[in-house]
């Protein structure tokens, strides 16, 4: 199946910390972004294709000074970066916490060592000790080799922030790897996967490059599917002005499995609750890849689309679908990047997570649920890293752990949690987050999934778990792709709202929203 | 005034100046550098009070470290708590002793053993655990050596070869009030004080900055309320003001 060794699972429920194998993941990193895509993101694009057999691009002219200038700029704009470059004491508490280190054994994947790739250059050029005693403090000159190391290892970090939970100073490697990628983007080393996707968002509106027409077709198809299934016309509205809710969801929800089953779940929930809603073809993407590359400006540009769509469609609320990175940017940054949202209904938080909506409705007794519809499954739940460690649901700390579990338990009879040190804020990343969900990083993705697979194997053996639910498009895509390497089946991964969709008994015969094609008749009827 | 006393007097003025000035400079830098995004590691407190309590648990009990690694926690906790006791005990060289300082003396005295034990544990770990060995640079070992040297030379004076501590007190009180006294001519004392002065001097340019730094860590000191309260850095506000997306458009246009 692969030309590298797939880690073996023990079923013990935990992973042994491996002995280090220096250089085991040394390499060139993912495919490099072309100048066109760099340009679309406002990054320098004056670099050429390299001569010779390799396909690599050259760095921009005067790259060294530009890299150092960017590092200097970032450390003056981000307290986190400046502080985290200074205060690490190398205690080692983080060294066994990264799923990529556990899976690959490469010591540069230990959070502290990953940070050090940038820190040793920071020291050399910006600190007294590093300028005068480089050897003593482990400071090094910035060379092309160092740049390649950055490119390789900053794309072996999914920015899941598990290390930040365990660091006595809260040092967050995600902040450092984001800065690393931002510097690389400014010297001609952008990653193809991320930057191409962001440029698609700017050009077409979503990560997958689905134009409005295709989207409308897809949604119509889904309406037909649900009707064939239930006999009830559940609307999937697009660009419908005056709807109460603007739903922003990862574009994977429009066609990938099991994502699309989740989308059907949201639609049914809105339908049952009598909440009018709409998607926007202009802001048809929830995920914000600007975060992955540490670019505040691009992240803001992506976020502003949602504001514009909300204003244009005159909605009262913004709700996000099941997407981990989307939810972190939405919950933590949307107000910062694109706020204030004082034009929306102040009764609801901005934005809301679909699980907040659904759990609220369940608590209010607004949904009729038949739990037995999911009796063929024993569920466990994968806390997505960015939801778990970078966001909240509800108004109490930890709501992001409770809401999905509450909803799952409300729609399923059989639920088991994975071992305690692999869930909640100690959750392991799926192995594909943070802009690494690309086939050129397959080995990393497979190995990085090992800790989560160990936990899943444990509950499979001990409690007969058959399915793992997730609330992040990347988790779902990554797992469906990598779990076969570990002997599981891809359809064992499900959306939480897929479970809701299964259990929800539709009572409402007619949708609160008329189809646009029926509109003429309607307007004739209630003319003033 | 002996030459050595003069030298040490000047050394301690210099070290104090570097320590206070350097740390103040760093704190100022951390204070004034914006944290443009809300990045508390959740589950995070939703009130300022909650943040203070979280930081208290972090600074006093090393809560996160306890979760991550019990061995490091044990040695680090031993070392730091013992260090506090020893430092408290040493305050008698600068202020008049009262009931509290007299009470603390024996604790401070025996805490030095815990301090050495903690340091030894941390050092051994740095050598025998392959992961920690990999991330250690010479300065990490030197720092431990320095602290160990300070602890051992101090203990020698307490438990082996006594120094005239009244004279030491006179020297330091003298430095404070510009009324200079001689240091006792004890080699142990001179070694101890030299190492302390070195520690003070390297403090602001080394990883010892973790002491003031931890209070500024956005993942720990931010309130988790981004939906309720808008949080914008000054440089980001500039973008909004000029209706621009990219910072260089603001700078050039």
């Amino acid at each position: 199946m692969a030309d590298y060794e797939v880690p073996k699972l023990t079923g013990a429920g935990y992973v042994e910390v491996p002995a280090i194998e220096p250089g085991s993941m040394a390499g060139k990193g993912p495919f490099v972004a072309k100048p066109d895509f760099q340009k679309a993101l406002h990054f320098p694009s004056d670099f050429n294709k390299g001569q010779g057999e390799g396909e690599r691009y050259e760095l921009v002219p005067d790259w060294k000074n530009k890299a150092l200038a960017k590092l200097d700029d970032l450390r003056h704009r981000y307290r986190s970066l400046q502080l985290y470059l200074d205060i690490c004491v190398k205690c080692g508490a983080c060294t066994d916490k990264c799923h990529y280190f556990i899976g690959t054994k490469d010591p540069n994947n230990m959070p502290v060592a990953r940070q050090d790739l940038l820190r040793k250059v920071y020291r050399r050029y910006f600190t007294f000790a590093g300028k005068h005693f480089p050897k003593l403090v482990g400071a090094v000159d910035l060379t092309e080799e160092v740049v390649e190391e950055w490119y390789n290892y900053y794309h072996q970090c999914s920015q899941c922030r598990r290390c930040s939970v365990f660091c006595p100073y809260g040092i967050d490697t995600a902040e450092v790897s984001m800065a690393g990628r931002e510097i690389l983007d400014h010297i001609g080393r952008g990653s193809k996967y991320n930057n191409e996707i962001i440029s698609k968002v700017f050009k077409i509106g979503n990560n997958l490059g689905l134009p409005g027409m295709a989207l409308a077709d897809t949604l119509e198809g889904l309406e037909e599917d649900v009707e064939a299934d239930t006999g009830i016309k559940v609307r999937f509205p697009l660009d419908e002005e005056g709807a109460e809710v603007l739903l922003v969801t990862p574009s994977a929800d429009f066609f990938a499995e099991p994502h699309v089953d989740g989308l059907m779940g949201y639609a049914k929930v809105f339908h049952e609750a009598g909440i009018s809603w709409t998607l926007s073809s202009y802001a048809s993407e929830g995920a914000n890849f600007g975060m992955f590359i540490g670019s505040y400006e691009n992240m803001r540009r992506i976020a502003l689309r949602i504001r514009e769509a909300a204003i244009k469609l005159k909605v009262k609320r913004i709700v996000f679908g099941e997407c981990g990175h989307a939810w972190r940017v939405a919950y933590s940054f949307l107000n910062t990047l694109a706020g204030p949202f004082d034009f929306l209904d102040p009764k609801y938080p901005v934005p809301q997570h679909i699980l907040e909506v659904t759990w609220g409705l369940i608590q209010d007794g607004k949904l009729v649920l038949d739990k037995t519809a999911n009796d063929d499954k024993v569920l466990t739940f994968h806390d997505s890293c960015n939801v778990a460690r970078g966001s909240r649901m509800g108004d109490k700390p930890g709501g992001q752990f409770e809401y999905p579990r509450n909803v799952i338990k409300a729609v399923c009879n059989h639920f088991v949690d994975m071992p305690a040190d692999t869930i909640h804020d100690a959750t392991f990343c799926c192995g594909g987050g943070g802009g690494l969900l690309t086939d050129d990083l397959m080995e990393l993705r497979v190995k990085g999934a090992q800790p989560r697979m160990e936990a899943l194997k444990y509950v499979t053996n001990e409690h007969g778990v058959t399915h793992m639910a997730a609330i992040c498009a990347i988790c779902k895509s990554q797992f469906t792709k990598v779990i076969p390497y570990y002997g599981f089946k891809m359809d064992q991964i499900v959306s939480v709202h897929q479970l809701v969709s299964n259990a929800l008994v539709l009572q409402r015969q007619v949708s609160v929203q008329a189809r646009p094609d029926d509109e003429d008749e309607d307007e004739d009827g209630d003319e003033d | 005034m002996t030459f050595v006393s003069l030298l040490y007097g000047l050394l301690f003025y210099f070290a104090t100046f570097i320590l206070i000035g350097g740390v103040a400079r760093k704190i100022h830098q951390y204070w004034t550098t914006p944290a443009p995004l809300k990045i508390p590691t959740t589950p995070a407190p939703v009130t300022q009070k909650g943040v203070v309590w979280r930081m208290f648990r972090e600074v006093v009990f090393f809560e996160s470290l306890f979760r991550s690694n019990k061995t490091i926690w044990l040695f680090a906790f031993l070392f730091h708590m013992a260090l506090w006791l020893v430092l408290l005990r040493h305050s008698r060289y600068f202020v008049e002793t009262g009931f509290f300082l007299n009470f603390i003396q024996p604790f401070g005295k025996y805490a030095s053993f815990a301090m050495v034990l903690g340091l030894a544990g941390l050092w051994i770990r740095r050598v025998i655990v392959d992961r920690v060995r990999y991330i250690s640079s010479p300065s990490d070992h030197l720092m431990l050596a320095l602290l160990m040297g300070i602890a051992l030379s101090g203990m020698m004076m307490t438990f082996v070869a006594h120094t005239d501590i009244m004279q030491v007190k006179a020297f330091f009180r003298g430095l404070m009030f510009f009324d200079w006294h001689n240091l006792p001519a004890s080699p142990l004392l001179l070694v101890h004080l030299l190492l302390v002065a070195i520690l003070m001097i390297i403090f602001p340019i080394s990883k010892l900055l973790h002491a003031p730094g931890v209070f500024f860590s956005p993942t720990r000191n931010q309130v988790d309320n981004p939906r309720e309260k808008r949080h914008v850095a000054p440089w980001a506000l500039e973008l909004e003001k000029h209706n621009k997306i990219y910072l260089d458009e603001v700078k050039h246009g």
Side-chain angles (χ1 to χ4, degrees), chain A residues 72 87 108 123 212 227 237 291 306 482:
Chain A
D72 202 32
I87 67 171
N108 277 338
R123 285 209 158 138
E227 191 176 357
M291 179 171 71
I306 296 167
V482 303

Side-chain angles (χ1 to χ4, degrees), chain A residues 52-123:
Chain A
E53 10 83 63
E55 283 180 47
R56 303 288 274 190
Y57 287 94
E58 289 171 359
L59 298 174
V60 299
D62 197 26
W63 62 270
K64 188 172 163 182
N65 286 327
K66 283 179 182 155
L68 292 173
K70 193 32 95 179
L71 172 56
D72 202 32
D73 170 45
L74 291 175
R75 77 188 180 98
H76 283 101
R77 282 196 285 130
Y78 291 87
R79 179 190 298 165
S80 52
L81 182 65
Q82 174 65 54
L83 192 74
Y84 297 158
L85 289 174
D86 275 343
I87 67 171
C88 175
V89 300
K90 314 279 171 74
C91 70
C94 63
T95 52
D96 56 350
K97 302 299 185 284
C98 175
H99 51 288
Y100 289 126
F101 169 67
I102 295 171
T104 68
K105 310 180 180 73
D106 189 316
N108 277 338
N109 282 332
M110 301 188 298
V112 45
R114 196 190 308 285
Q115 295 158 21
D116 268 357
L117 298 175
L118 188 60
R119 189 181 282 121
K120 59 193 184 183
V121 171
Y122 158 72
R123 285 209 158 138

Side-chain angles (χ1 to χ4, degrees), chain A residues 20 79 84 86 90 95 136 161 164 166 169-170 298 300-301 331 335-336 351 356 388-389 392 425, chain B residues 26 30 34 39 41-42 67-68 126 130-131 139 207 217 219-220 224 226-227 230-231 244 246:
Chain A
I20 60 173
R79 179 190 298 165
Y84 297 158
D86 275 343
K90 314 279 171 74
T95 52
L136 190 69
R161 311 177 82 222
S164 83
F166 293 101
Y169 316 111
N298 281 295
R300 177 162 170 262
R301 190 171 155 195
Y331 172 85
N335 197 10
T336 294
E356 293 179 309
R389 289 182 283 262
R392 178 160 46 93
D425 62 337
Chain B
K26 271 294 175 185
Y30 299 149
I39 56 165
T41 305
T42 56
R67 264 186 91 180
S68 17
R126 205 169 273 289
D130 68 344
R131 307 190 306 277
S139 58
K207 64 179 186 179
S217 180
T219 53
R220 293 287 185 270
D224 182 21
R227 287 195 287 190
R230 189 154 188 246
H231 171 93
K244 301 281 187 209
Y246 296 101

Side-chain angles (χ1 to χ4, degrees), chain B residues 22-34:
Chain B
V23 171
R25 208 178 120 250
K26 271 294 175 185
I27 287 180
H28 179 259
Q29 183 188 26
Y30 299 149
W31 198 294
T32 53
T33 304

Side-chain angles (χ1 to χ4, degrees), chain A residues 407-424:
Chain A
V407 168
I408 293 174
K409 287 175 191 165
V411 299
C412 301
N413 280 312
H414 313 292
F415 175 79
V416 183
D417 251 325
M418 286 180 281
D421 53 351
T422 72
I423 56 168
H424 291 187

Side-chain angles (χ1 to χ4, degrees), chain B:
Chain B
M1 190 85 211
T2 65
F3 175 69
V4 169
S5 302
L6 178 71
L7 206 65
Y8 269 68
L10 293 175
L11 178 65
F12 269 87
Y13 278 132
F14 177 69
T16 309
F17 172 75
I18 292 289
L19 176 69
I20 293 176
V23 171
R25 208 178 120 250
K26 271 294 175 185
I27 287 180
H28 179 259
Q29 183 188 26
Y30 299 149
W31 198 294
T32 53
T33 304
L37 293 166
K38 280 275 193 179
I39 56 165
T41 305
T42 56
V46 293
T47 60
Q48 190 61 44
K49 236 191 219 163
V51 164
V52 171
W53 175 230
R54 178 189 209 178
M55 192 57 85
F56 175 83
R57 296 194 319 260
E58 211 51 79
V59 173
V60 177
F61 302 119
F62 303 180
E63 190 180 40
S64 297
L65 186 58
F66 186 76
R67 264 186 91 180
S68 17
N69 190 312
K70 302 286 187 282
T71 322
I72 310 180
W73 179 86
L74 178 70
F75 292 126
F77 192 74
L78 261 182
F79 163 66
H80 282 87
M81 293 306 133
L83 180 67
W84 278 118
L85 282 171
V86 171
L87 281 175
L88 270 178
R89 173 174 141 89
H90 277 66
S91 60
R92 68 170 168 182
Y93 296 109
F94 304 93
V95 298
E96 292 304 332
T97 51
F99 169 76
F100 177 72
L101 269 191
N102 284 326
F103 172 77
I104 209 88
Q105 291 306 312
F107 294 100
K109 202 160 145 180
Y110 294 104
S112 57
F113 288 97
M115 195 172 143
V116 168
L117 188 69
L119 285 171
L122 292 173
W123 207 346
I124 290 167
R125 221 182 156 274
R126 205 169 273 289
V127 177
I128 64 168
V129 179
D130 68 344
R131 307 190 306 277
V132 190
R133 191 167 60 237
Y134 182 86
I135 56 171
S136 300
S137 44
S139 58
D140 297 310
H141 292 283
L142 279 176
M143 199 72 76
L144 284 161
L146 187 60
L147 288 161
M148 195 65 116
I150 290 170
L152 291 176
S153 57
M155 286 171 81
M156 293 279 280
M157 282 184 286
T158 306
F159 299 106
V160 182
H162 288 285
T163 303
D164 180 355
I165 58 169
M166 291 316 288
Q167 188 61 40
V168 175
K169 178 166 185 161
F171 173 78
F172 279 103
R173 297 272 294 174
L175 286 184
M176 288 166 69
F177 299 107
F178 303 103
D179 169 25
W180 289 38
H181 291 261
N182 278 329
L183 268 174
S186 147
L188 266 179
L189 175 71
L190 295 183
V191 168
H192 186 67
L193 291 183
L194 178 67
L195 296 179
V196 170
I198 292 173
L199 187 73
M200 290 165 74
I201 290 165
I202 63 171
F203 195 102
I205 56 163
S206 72
K207 64 179 186 179
L208 299 177
L209 280 172
H210 70 275
V214 61
F215 295 98
F216 293 91
S217 180
T219 53
R220 293 287 185 270
N221 75 4
Q222 287 186 338
V223 183
D224 182 21
N225 63 353
R227 287 195 287 190
E228 291 76 26
K229 208 164 165 229
R230 189 154 188 246
H231 171 93
V232 196
W235 58 260
L237 218 47
E238 278 299 294
L239 292 173
E240 278 182 28
K241 217 171 72 190
H242 298 278
N243 199 18
K244 301 281 187 209
I245 293 288
Y246 296 101
L247 276 164
D248 57 2
E249 296 173 329
V250 174
K251 280 173 194 156
H252 304 308

